[in-house]
Amino acid sequence: DTAVSQTPKYLVTQMGNDKSIKCEQNLGHDTMYWYKQDSKKFLKIMFSYNNKELIINETVPNRFSPKSPDKAHLNLHINSLELGDSAVYFCASSPIVGLSYEQYFGPGTRLTVT
Amino acid sequence: KNQVEQSPQSLIILEGKNCTLQCNYTVSPFSNLRWYKQDTGRGPVSLTIMTFSENTKSNGRYTATLDADTKQSSLHITASQLSDSASYICVVSEGDYKLSFGAGTTVTVRA
């Protein structure tokens, strides 16, 4: 049973397109996150939602729009994709709001923009 | 300058040997420090979490140490196995709303 799942695992698309990545967690956690891992392997937090409400929004272009239909799902929609958006995107969840608590990561979605 | 620096950037060890990874941080105030293991093509998995008052914590063959005074942590891998080949990431939290990630140390274990 996968705790945090993401779809798709790989996504190849052209510049200018709009795409979505889906994330679901079956851990019953209240808080979910999106991270971006660039080619240098640095992980950077993008967004955090607690019970469907946005609580962290780092400096991310407004082309990125997270959507949380319920606390078990946090999807990431990206408009007008650019080459620099190519990265691995990780979804994560934690039982309690707050970055000081342990987080459980999904397997990642490798996005390649050509 | 990144607030979490890890060294070495990469290392290669023979199966069965021990190794130690370093993490120096400048984050302040400090809430906790975590070590994650990230296998190629997978998401990070937590190995240890240490708060200010803890100076050592073990998880099987992984032992993390923390010196909050010098702001240094280490992760020691004992009797390495091929499955230990991965990237090890040090993460420091500053309160509930800020996380700083290291770039990771890539460990390759060879038979």
Side-chain angles (χ1 to χ4, degrees):
Chain A
D1 292 340
T2 304
V4 182
S5 60
Q6 296 178 227
T7 54
K9 187 166 176 62
Y10 299 98
L11 182 55
V12 180
T13 188
Q14 291 183 330
M15 285 175 55
N17 285 348
D18 303 338
K19 290 293 180 185
S20 291
I21 307 172
K22 295 185 176 181
C23 177
E24 176 181 3
Q25 54 94 3
N26 61 9
L27 297 167
H29 289 171
D30 285 344
T31 310
M32 296 183 71
Y33 311 84
W34 275 110
Y35 287 87
K36 179 181 180 180
Q37 188 172 42
D38 60 26
S39 57
K40 295 183 178 180
K41 303 295 186 183
F42 273 106
L43 272 161
K44 293 183 180 179
I45 190 167
M46 300 173 68
F47 302 101
S48 175
Y49 268 73
N50 183 59
N51 271 325
K52 303 190 297 176
E53 289 190 19
L54 179 67
I55 55 171
I56 292 176
N57 183 350
E58 293 295 305
T59 308
V60 177
N62 57 16
R63 298 182 294 105
F64 292 78
S65 54
K67 284 186 173 52
S68 182
D70 55 62
K71 74 174 190 177
H73 296 83
L74 181 61
N75 304 323
L76 183 65
H77 188 76
I78 315 171
N79 290 327
S80 303
L81 279 156
E82 300 177 357
L83 292 177
D85 298 332
S86 295
V88 181
Y89 292 84
F90 287 99
C91 177
S93 72
S94 63
I96 305 172
V97 62
L99 295 176
S100 60
Y101 296 98
E102 182 168 355
Q103 296 177 33
Y104 299 80
F105 285 81
T109 295
R110 181 174 292 277
L111 171 65
T112 302
V113 182
T114 62
Chain B
K1 184 172 165 60
N2 196 37
Q3 290 188 295
V4 180
E5 298 285 346
Q6 291 188 242
S7 62
Q9 188 173 19
S10 62
L11 66 93
I12 300 172
I13 57 172
L14 292 177
E15 190 177 14
K17 299 296 185 181
N18 304 334
C19 67
T20 300
L21 287 52
Q22 299 291 340
C23 174
N24 297 337
Y25 62 94
T26 58
V27 172
S28 182
F30 164 88
S31 290
N32 61 46
L33 184 146
R34 301 169 228 183
W35 283 93
Y36 280 93
K37 178 187 179 189
Q38 185 176 16
D39 292 316
T40 301
R42 307 288 292 273
V45 174
S46 178
L47 293 175
T48 61
I49 299 178
M50 289 186 291
T51 60
F52 183 87
S53 60
E54 297 174 293
N55 55 26
T56 187
K57 184 167 278 190
S58 291
N59 178 356
R61 295 178 297 101
Y62 300 101
T63 299
T65 64
L66 173 64
D67 185 334
D69 291 331
T70 62
K71 298 188 177 182
Q72 296 179 327
S73 176
S74 65
L75 181 70
H76 186 75
I77 305 175
T78 304
S80 61
Q81 300 177 359
L82 296 178
S83 60
D84 293 331
S85 295
S87 181
Y88 293 84
I89 303 171
C90 176
V91 184
V92 182
S93 69
E94 178 187 348
D96 279 344
Y97 296 101
K98 187 168 174 62
L99 272 184
S100 295
F101 287 80
T105 293
T106 300
V107 174
T108 303
V109 181
R110 290 194 174 154

